[in-house]
Amino acid sequence: MTDRIAPLASRPAWKALQQHAETIRPQQLRDLFKTDPARGTRFTAQACGLFLDYSKNRITDETLALLIELAKQSGLRQHAEAMFTGQKINTTENRAVLHVALRAPRSESIMVDGEDVVPEVHKVLDKMSAFSDKIRSGAWLGYTGKPIKNIVNIGIGGSDLGPVMAYEALRHYSHRDLTFRFVSNVDGTDFAEAVRDLDPEETLFLVASKTFTTLETMTNAHSARTWTLAKLKQTESIARHFVALSTNTKLVSEFGIDTANMFGFWDWVGGRYSMDSAIGLSTMIAIGPDNFRAMLAGFHEMDVHFRTTPLENNLPALLGLLTVWYTDFFDAQTVAILPYEQYLKRFPAYLQQLTMESNGKHVTLDGEQVVTQTGPIYWGEPGTNGQHSFYQLIHQGTRLIPCDFIGFYKTLNPLGRHHDILMANVFAQAEALAFGKTADEVRAEGVPEALVPHKVFEGNRPSNTLLAEHLTPHTLGALIALYEHSVFTQGVIWSIDSFDQWGVELGKVLATKILSEIENPAELESPTAPTKGHDTSTTNLINLYRATK
Ligand code: F6P
């Protein structure tokens, strides 16, 4: 296990940063660039095909040195080693955290409880590859002898967001004769719309659930079973039209899925870190086993970079430390993720679970109340769309919103001037945010005095710019691993457990209780009395709903 680390507030680098922040806050990026033009090329780093420009951040060399010192005093290296070597760093669940093993090469060995997990990982990958090839080639036939044309992934949270994001991101590489749909919401509309134009004889459901107990997923899976049987009649047909991606063999088999068609993973893979496990079967069917392995290689390259590169040039560490800087020293509440790549349209949504389920914690590993803000709110939309919607607030609102711009040198769909226009906008937005436009500059344009304040851009709004050659499976893997390890870095600084998610439990328990009260009205009595432990508001709302049934 890692050495005992001092509480955050008593780490010397933290105290130094508190003082240092006082001197940085009044400074303008405009002046920082004027006095140190070299920062535009100095505050950059690259790895795994990704180029990071972090010069438009409100930092100096001293800030960087102090943040890196903070990482050292927080035991970032030791914690990372503990993760990479299979120690049980998810202490509240007593689990190892080994998504890095999912992309380890065959030659590696990672021990958990005395067992090397890498051969098991590759056994599942090989089984997924063989299955994907059968679907892609048309060799896998449905119950009535027709090849599978439609793949419907049923899952939620990590069992949905990763697969749907990766499918959209890598659509360019996908098998275009196959149709992919993703059902997550327990709202019946999601299922109904996903299957309305599909033929059960040609449809394969991937039931993706680590636990195989999640209410939404199991409800959708049972509806899919009913939908399939309505046409195919025979229960034996289920084995040809359903496979499971899960850690729970018992419940998979009870559902009626042949465990030969179950693709397993392990309790040391967190849901939000599982898109490169069996949960990624839809991705593999879409892009093929070779492309999937190229994506894993991208993840792995970033893992090695994070584990071995000095912090000064370590992309995930830098990104994570900058997030801590704004969250704790500038009161920033959010981080905007702004991919200038339409294929990455679901990337911000994917990152929301990764970052917010991981670092949305209010106590430290020791169970003490944290003394600083932790995980910021991640959000975003692809550019340039966001520019015509919420960028106004980022440019001229009262909040500080650090932005991550993501762009590519080359497009996968060359079309006239489109890509140059797109990229001109990435660079322009980051420039406008950082340097703004002063009142004098506005006046010099002949703007009437009354309008001057409205047209001033204060600037001094920080951003990172990430660039890569073009969007490939390898780049996507590296990009995801970059954020995974940035989240890890933040969690280590805050001394929180980034790998549990107890905060999702209470709502689930209450929903189960309320469902039974809705389905068995006798369980809820007076519309005004707080019966069954509910407050009067909740009781009233339930009764209003029940009255409409
Ligand atoms: O409720 C939150 C959560 O547990 C996520 O962490 C997870 O990704 C999701 O539900 C789905 O869980 P499962 O894969 O077990 O269905």
Side-chain angles (χ1 to χ4, degrees):
M1 268 291 165
T2 51
D3 294 338
R4 191 122 194 103
I5 303 292
L8 180 56
S10 51
R11 289 173 212 156
W14 183 262
K15 292 186 194 161
L17 276 163
Q18 281 176 320
Q19 286 198 345
H20 174 72
E22 301 290 329
T23 67
I24 293 292
R25 271 187 224 109
Q27 297 194 43
Q28 299 291 313
L29 277 168
R30 182 184 271 268
D31 300 325
L32 291 173
F33 270 85
K34 213 175 280 166
T35 52
D36 175 20
R39 64 181 282 136
T41 47
R42 189 173 72 255
F43 287 148
T44 62
Q46 44 191 320
C48 317
L50 300 178
F51 175 85
L52 169 67
D53 174 354
Y54 59 98
S55 64
K56 294 192 190 80
N57 280 292
R58 292 168 67 174
I59 57 167
T60 61
D61 290 296
E62 190 186 349
T63 321
L64 206 55
L66 286 172
L67 286 170
I68 287 167
E69 190 50 35
L70 175 66
K72 289 180 182 161
Q73 289 172 14
S74 306
L76 178 60
R77 279 273 179 249
Q78 298 93 300
H79 279 89
E81 272 317 291
M83 172 173 71
F84 278 99
T85 54
Q87 294 180 43
K88 297 191 172 168
I89 61 168
N90 176 0
T91 52
T92 71
E93 295 181 325
N94 193 29
R95 285 177 182 165
V97 173
L98 267 180
H99 42 279
V100 293
L102 298 171
R103 51 265 192 158
R106 275 184 212 275
S107 52
E108 265 188 35
S109 151
I110 301 174
M111 307 300 285
V112 179
D113 293 331
E115 222 179 287
D116 184 0
V117 299
V118 178
E120 283 304 305
V121 165
H122 282 274
K123 211 155 129 194
V124 175
L125 279 172
D126 291 342
K127 184 171 163 182
M128 288 166 66
S129 302
F131 183 76
S132 299
D133 282 340
K134 277 193 204 150
I135 300 290
R136 289 168 62 82
S137 66
W140 179 278
L141 302 178
Y143 187 64
T144 57
K146 292 189 180 172
I148 295 298
K149 280 197 190 151
N150 316 306
I151 289 90
V152 182
N153 188 81
I154 297 179
I156 198 164
S159 301
D160 167 72
L161 288 163
V164 73
M165 178 276 289
Y167 170 67
E168 293 295 347
L170 300 176
R171 210 178 179 135
H172 179 80
Y173 304 88
S174 70
H175 192 314
R176 299 291 189 165
D177 295 338
L178 297 173
T179 296
F180 290 83
R181 301 270 163 85
F182 298 83
V183 176
S184 54
N185 202 335
V186 76
D187 182 341
T189 299
D190 205 8
F191 181 77
E193 286 293 337
V195 300
R196 63 180 293 282
D197 56 345
L198 304 185
D199 178 354
E201 292 181 65
E202 299 174 335
T203 301
L204 175 75
F205 289 99
L206 313 181
V207 185
S209 176
K210 178 176 167 179
T211 54
F212 229 71
T213 58
T214 304
L215 179 65
E216 293 89 335
T217 301
M218 297 327 295
T219 306
N220 277 318
H222 280 285
S223 296
R225 200 172 189 278
T226 307
W227 180 82
T228 305
L229 289 176
K231 174 128 191 223
L232 303 182
K233 312 290 183 209
Q234 309 301 324
T235 45
E236 306 87 77
S237 66
I238 297 302
R240 302 301 299 170
H241 293 270
F242 282 75
V243 304
L245 324 174
S246 184
T247 58
N248 196 332
T249 315
K250 183 168 171 283
L251 293 186
V252 166
S253 137
E254 278 172 24
F255 182 87
I257 294 177
D258 185 349
T259 49
N261 299 328
M262 168 176 164
F263 300 84
F265 56 111
W266 308 271
D267 73 354
W268 40 260
V269 182
R272 54 194 176 272
Y273 296 87
S274 67
M275 59 156 290
D276 47 348
S277 70
I279 291 293
L281 185 62
S282 56
T283 314
M284 192 190 268
I285 296 174
I287 64 174
D290 289 347
N291 277 325
F292 193 85
R293 283 175 198 272
M295 181 181 80
L296 295 184
F299 271 101
H300 180 66
E301 204 179 323
M302 187 58 79
D303 293 342
V304 174
H305 167 76
F306 178 57
R307 191 176 181 179
T308 58
T309 305
L311 298 178
E312 290 74 7
N313 297 313
N314 194 306
L315 264 57
L318 290 168
L319 219 53
L321 288 168
L322 287 166
T323 304
V324 171
W325 175 236
Y326 293 117
T327 304
D328 292 332
F329 298 99
F330 288 77
D331 239 353
Q333 305 283 318
T334 81
V335 176
I337 303 294
L338 308 168
Y340 279 64
E341 167 55 81
Q342 188 60 21
Y343 284 125
L344 288 179
K345 66 180 179 189
R346 295 293 286 162
F347 192 59
Y350 169 77
L351 282 191
Q352 282 183 329
Q353 189 200 9
L354 178 68
T355 58
M356 290 159 74
E357 202 167 62
S358 294
N359 285 342
K361 308 291 159 67
H362 71 124
V363 293
T364 64
L365 285 158
D366 292 334
E368 302 290 333
Q369 181 73 30
V370 294
V371 294
T372 59
Q373 293 289 339
T374 58
I377 299 155
Y378 278 73
W379 61 287
E381 278 288 325
T384 57
N385 293 7
Q387 291 174 206
H388 300 272
S389 151
F390 53 78
Y391 277 38
Q392 164 66 35
L393 187 146
I394 308 182
H395 281 289
Q396 286 192 316
T398 52
R399 298 166 196 280
L400 182 80
I401 302 179
C403 301
D404 286 357
F405 291 98
I406 303 171
F408 294 87
Y409 299 124
K410 298 208 173 83
T411 174
L412 294 166
N413 295 295
L415 187 61
R417 300 167 65 213
H418 285 239
H419 197 63
D420 289 344
I421 295 172
L422 180 74
M423 293 308 290
N425 275 280
V426 180
F427 305 138
Q429 290 299 325
E431 187 177 26
L433 286 170
F435 305 108
K437 197 195 260 189
T438 63
D440 286 345
E441 286 167 339
V442 175
R443 277 188 200 104
E445 289 172 358
V447 171
E449 198 54 35
L451 277 183
V452 169
H454 299 278
K455 296 206 164 194
V456 164
F457 285 68
E458 290 173 336
N460 218 19
R461 293 162 195 236
S463 67
N464 294 305
T465 302
L466 274 162
L467 297 174
E469 183 72 10
H470 62 285
L471 182 55
T472 62
H474 184 281
T475 314
L476 182 70
L479 190 62
I480 298 166
L482 167 65
Y483 280 96
E484 286 179 348
H485 298 314
S486 163
V487 166
F488 180 88
T489 301
Q490 296 164 41
V492 167
I493 304 292
W494 290 319
S495 298
I496 56 179
D497 189 332
S498 298
F499 301 101
D500 61 14
Q501 56 285 315
W502 299 107
V504 301
E505 295 303 325
L506 180 59
K508 287 186 191 174
V509 172
L510 290 180
T512 306
K513 180 173 184 298
I514 292 173
L515 178 60
S516 123
E517 290 159 357
I518 286 172
E519 291 181 336
N520 308 295
E523 289 196 22
L524 201 70
E525 291 132 23
S526 151
T528 48
T531 53
K532 298 285 170 195
H534 296 299
D535 58 278
T536 50
S537 160
T538 308
T539 305
N540 189 40
L541 291 170
I542 297 169
N543 278 330
L544 282 171
Y545 176 69
R546 271 190 11 210
T548 66
K549 281 174 80 72

